[in-house]
Amino acid sequence: MYQTSRLRGDSPVSIIGAGITGAWHALLLAEAGRAVTLHERSDAAMTQSTSHFAGGMLAPWCEAEASEPVISRLGIRSLDLWRQHLPETAFNGSLVVAHPRDRADFERFARLTSGYRRLDAEGVRELEPSLEGRFGSGLFYPDEGHVEPRRVLPRLHAAIAKAGGDIKFGSDAEADDLDGLVIDCRGLAARDREPNLRGVKGEMIVIETAEVELLRPVRLIHPRWPLYVIPRGDGRFMLGATSIEAEDNGVSVRSALELLGAAYVVHPAFGEARIVEFGAGLRPAFPDNLPKIKIEQERITVNGLYRHGFLLAPALAELTLAYLSRGEIDNEVMQCA
């Protein structure tokens, strides 16, 4: 293991990439008293960032249906960090529903997850009155939450500045040109050093209607086009769930039809909603779809968060801080050259 006093506290820290991973690293390190500079090649709007198109769901128990246990472990820890550092984060839980014809898939989801309470039709209505009469049962995960990525990133950036960190937008910094410790959080842009990274496209649609009100993300279980509907406030909802092995940033007609059709199944009023935006982001993933913190002398690379960026970023930043402060290693996530 490479560990020196420079890494332990004497060295300035440069973080490349101000998306959700880089922002959480900058925040925790700045609050720990490190001299932090966060470099971001785009402007403060972050419209080209993967985070700009993310769902922002903080759902470690739901994600257990299709993820390794390490995702749930780190995700549950992240919930505490969201509560601690951004106490205004919404923790209204998650609701999972399905129609009777998809009961087998609904029960499979229940078997593979935990932390939920079963609801009957009345329970679904009490939780989300807009869904009255739509579903005969549901799974409610009360401890899960969600954030609006386009609102929470500026709040994280403001918290970094308040803690004494310096953010440089429009800075196309190269690690080799920076002094001290460098933490690389560039996502897919880091393929110059991480050739095994691939982009996994996640498509989204934002719609607007005054006819439906939801307090929490709703997941529709379906064998062909599962869907999540995330309330964004002011009558807007984000529709998402695609995970496509492609590296373009367009939304296909097929995906749009499936997302909009699934939303109509959740509530017919979505059929009259106004489409506000189509978009797609490329999530960085390693072949095993698991995150990695790679340590090589004075360079640390944090990458491969796949579709769990907002869920995992706080816990991964805490692991990096624990390594720099105390030399602690999490063997499931960290690799030392």
Side-chain angles (χ1 to χ4, degrees):
M1 181 195 309
Y2 183 92
Q3 183 65 275
T4 70
S5 61
R6 284 171 61 78
L7 294 185
R8 289 275 179 120
D10 298 338
S11 171
V13 181
S14 297
I15 300 171
I16 307 177
I20 192 63
T21 305
W24 268 102
H25 275 75
L27 177 60
L28 294 192
L29 285 166
E31 289 187 342
R34 300 295 293 254
V36 174
T37 302
L38 180 59
H39 296 269
E40 170 56 44
R41 63 183 178 181
S42 64
D43 60 23
M46 301 287 291
T47 55
Q48 301 305 309
S49 167
T50 299
S51 299
H52 189 73
F53 301 99
M57 292 190 297
L58 311 178
W61 289 278
C62 282
E63 289 301 319
E65 181 263 343
S67 301
E68 297 292 329
V70 65
I71 302 299
S72 296
R73 173 175 70 85
L74 295 174
I76 290 170
R77 174 55 188 156
S78 285
L79 301 189
D80 292 335
L81 295 169
W82 278 106
R83 290 187 178 98
Q84 176 185 344
H85 294 274
L86 279 86
E88 68 274 22
T89 300
F91 281 95
N92 298 326
S94 301
L95 177 62
V96 175
V97 295
H99 284 291
R101 64 178 178 272
D102 301 317
R103 187 71 189 186
D105 294 292
F106 178 83
E107 291 299 334
R108 176 185 175 275
F109 194 96
R111 287 195 305 272
L112 293 174
T113 62
S114 62
Y116 59 81
R117 186 170 77 242
R118 284 186 179 267
L119 304 176
D120 58 13
E122 178 62 18
V124 172
R125 184 198 67 78
E126 290 179 356
L127 204 65
E128 294 289 1
S130 286
L131 300 183
E132 180 177 7
R134 302 295 306 159
F135 301 97
S137 60
L139 303 173
F140 177 47
Y141 298 76
D143 296 323
E144 296 187 336
H146 69 285
V147 296
E148 160 56 288
R150 298 177 190 183
R151 295 179 182 176
V152 81
L153 267 180
R155 288 203 293 267
L156 283 169
H157 294 158
I160 293 164
K162 183 178 180 180
D166 184 19
I167 306 178
K168 294 184 177 181
F169 293 105
S171 172
D172 199 5
E174 296 286 342
D176 293 340
D177 298 330
L178 299 171
D179 293 329
L181 173 66
V182 176
I183 303 178
D184 187 340
C185 300
R186 290 179 293 154
L188 280 179
R191 280 195 289 197
D192 56 343
R193 294 182 62 91
E194 299 291 340
N196 288 332
L197 279 173
R198 74 187 197 283
V200 180
K201 183 167 70 169
E203 299 158 308
M204 51 78 78
I205 302 175
V206 177
I207 61 175
E208 183 178 67
T209 177
E211 301 301 315
V212 182
E213 293 184 11
L214 297 174
L215 294 176
R216 56 192 54 80
V218 175
R219 295 185 184 227
L220 175 69
I221 302 299
H222 188 280
R224 191 163 57 87
W225 26 264
L227 170 86
Y228 51 73
V229 181
I230 308 173
R232 290 298 194 223
D234 300 323
R236 294 192 174 190
F237 302 86
M238 176 180 169
L239 313 178
T242 64
S243 189
I244 300 171
E245 295 291 336
E247 296 204 6
D248 65 275
N249 59 2
V251 177
S252 70
V253 171
R254 174 178 296 181
S255 294
L257 290 172
E258 290 183 348
L259 289 172
L260 293 170
Y264 182 81
V265 169
V266 170
H267 200 293
F270 282 136
E272 303 301 321
R274 183 173 70 92
I275 295 175
V276 176
E277 179 185 354
F278 289 98
L282 293 179
R283 305 143 170 166
F286 289 112
D288 59 4
N289 292 335
L290 295 178
K292 293 176 177 56
I293 300 174
K294 298 184 178 182
I295 303 163
E296 185 177 3
Q297 297 187 11
E298 290 191 340
R299 187 185 185 117
I300 296 176
T301 300
V302 186
N303 216 319
L305 278 68
Y306 186 40
R307 58 190 184 91
H308 305 118
F310 281 77
L311 177 62
L312 299 184
L316 293 175
E318 186 178 58
L319 291 180
T320 301
L321 177 60
Y323 169 75
L324 294 174
S325 301
R326 302 181 295 277
E328 294 181 7
I329 296 291
D330 186 305
N331 290 321
E332 280 194 285
V333 178
M334 305 181 86
Q335 300 174 359
C336 296

